[in-house]
Amino acid sequence: MAVARLAAVAAWVPYRSCGWAAAPVGPHRGLGALLALIPQRAPRWLPACRQKTSFSFLNRPDLPNLAYKKLKGKSPGIVFIPGYLSYMNGTKALAIEEFCKSLGHACIRFDYSGVGSSDGNSEESTLGKWRKDVLSIIDDLADGPQILVGSSLGGWLMLHAAIARPEKVVALIGVATAADTLVTKFNQLPVELKKEVEMKGVWSMPSKYSEEGVYNVQYSFIKEAEHHCLLHSPIPVNCPIRLLHGMKDDIVPWHTSMQVADRVLSTDVDVILRKHSDHQMKEKADIQLLVYTIDDLIDKLSTIVN
């Protein structure tokens, strides 16, 4: 990495002891080498993430219009894929956009159909429909090669996008990747409770991250999601993959990221575990790790191209 570029990254976030453990899969010069080179000083923290209200709509015939925000810039671009019922104005999405702006790289964040500012009814949402949303963003808005950053359920969808668009998706970063997790957790419920959910048509899944204390997941969403499970067989994704996961995650076990790493065909895979991070991974040190990982992949891909 050029000295000027390295200095720009170091100036954006401070270097400090973060307590992460990397489990590399495959020989390459990865995040560890980058962190070893970054000057150990403490400049300013994250720039303020401004909550801008302006966004655009991707108009789609016969499908709900998607609200999005696109930052123009260099390739590879970054597409942030949010978690279940999460909005494009979340902490990670805004931090990634600010970081891309500081590097001059393109960035897209968006709301799924039925979520946030996008059109549609959330009760009619399915994983398959959200998969189409992600592909619409990649096909109609993203220019050139893209690095996908998927958070939680967005990590499940980023894998599907990489399978469907291998010529455009050049790298993946999963944050608490929830591949198959919703289906797995439902199948682990007692038979009586599963029958009750089927009768009511909704599963009130307890969650400390919801204001109501539960996520009301439609039974139809769960059943449709069964058609998109990936961990039962090899996952045909061959691009570089970085999987970040908190070991205090009580929603998606960190072992899920290890399963994904084992199942993907790519040999360039790192699983990076943060001992004290929870499912959301939005503390300062978590965001620091995320943007360093993005920068490392941008540098790696630029080196390959050049």
Side-chain angles (χ1 to χ4, degrees):
M1 178 181 291
V3 175
R5 180 181 174 84
L6 189 60
V9 178
W12 198 77
V13 286
Y15 178 83
R16 62 182 67 173
S17 177
C18 294
W20 62 61
V25 183
H28 69 275
R29 179 179 176 276
L31 182 65
L34 171 67
L35 294 178
L37 291 171
I38 293 176
Q40 297 196 32
R41 56 192 182 89
R44 63 187 176 90
W45 178 239
L46 300 173
C49 293
R50 296 180 296 278
Q51 295 279 354
K52 293 184 178 180
T53 56
S54 60
F55 50 82
S56 302
F57 277 102
L58 174 61
N59 297 314
R60 303 185 298 171
D62 303 321
L63 290 172
N65 298 327
L66 300 179
Y68 71 92
K69 186 67 185 295
K70 180 177 180 178
L71 175 69
K72 294 183 179 180
K74 296 181 291 187
S75 292
I78 310 297
V79 177
F80 180 75
I81 307 175
Y84 180 75
L85 297 181
S86 294
Y87 303 157
M88 62 175 161
N89 286 332
T91 302
K92 291 188 287 291
L94 292 172
I96 289 171
E97 181 182 77
E98 289 290 339
F99 185 66
C100 288
K101 186 182 299 182
S102 73
L103 293 183
H105 277 261
C107 180
I108 299 174
R109 50 189 174 93
F110 69 99
D111 286 337
Y112 297 122
S113 54
V115 178
S117 299
S118 288
D119 295 345
N121 184 347
S122 62
E123 293 186 357
E124 298 176 356
S125 296
T126 65
L127 194 76
K129 289 179 180 178
W130 286 355
R131 176 184 176 276
K132 290 182 180 178
D133 293 347
V134 176
L135 295 181
S136 291
I137 294 294
I138 294 173
D139 293 343
D140 300 332
L141 295 178
D143 302 314
Q146 301 294 313
I147 297 173
L148 306 186
V149 180
S151 179
S152 191
L153 184 134
W156 188 357
L157 289 169
M158 78 174 183
L159 291 166
H160 276 285
I163 294 170
R165 300 292 185 271
E167 71 288 346
K168 203 162 186 178
V169 176
V170 294
L172 301 177
I173 300 174
V175 182
T177 300
D180 299 10
T181 299
L182 189 62
V183 174
T184 301
K185 291 172 76 75
F186 179 77
N187 288 337
Q188 291 172 346
L189 295 177
V191 175
E192 297 79 9
L193 184 53
K194 284 195 284 189
K195 289 182 178 178
E196 180 182 332
V197 171
E198 184 176 359
M199 289 180 61
K200 290 183 176 179
V202 63
W203 177 26
S204 296
M205 183 175 65
S207 174
K208 63 183 179 182
Y209 302 114
S210 169
E211 293 182 2
E212 295 79 18
V214 296
Y215 279 124
N216 291 314
V217 184
Q218 298 296 315
Y219 179 67
S220 57
F221 189 101
I222 300 168
K223 296 306 292 181
E224 196 275 343
E226 292 179 349
H227 301 294
H228 304 285
C229 288
L230 293 171
L231 296 179
H232 57 276
S233 60
I235 303 173
V237 175
N238 292 287
C239 64
I241 302 172
R242 305 292 177 262
L243 301 169
L244 317 182
H245 218 125
M247 297 180 73
K248 299 287 186 182
D249 191 335
D250 58 349
I251 303 296
V252 181
W254 59 265
H255 302 87
T256 304
S257 284
M258 304 300 289
Q259 288 180 284
V260 172
D262 181 61
R263 288 297 188 184
V264 294
L265 297 183
S266 174
T267 57
D268 186 353
V269 182
D270 284 351
V271 178
I272 305 170
L273 303 176
R274 282 193 46 77
K275 186 172 183 178
H276 299 293
S277 294
D278 62 11
H279 179 67
Q280 291 188 314
M281 290 196 73
K282 63 178 185 180
E283 298 301 319
K284 290 182 178 180
D286 298 323
I287 300 298
Q288 177 191 26
L289 173 60
L290 177 56
V291 298
Y292 279 162
T293 305
I294 292 172
D295 185 78
D296 184 51
L297 280 175
I298 289 175
D299 182 61
K300 178 185 181 68
L301 294 169
S302 299
T303 302
I304 293 174
V305 171
N306 294 332

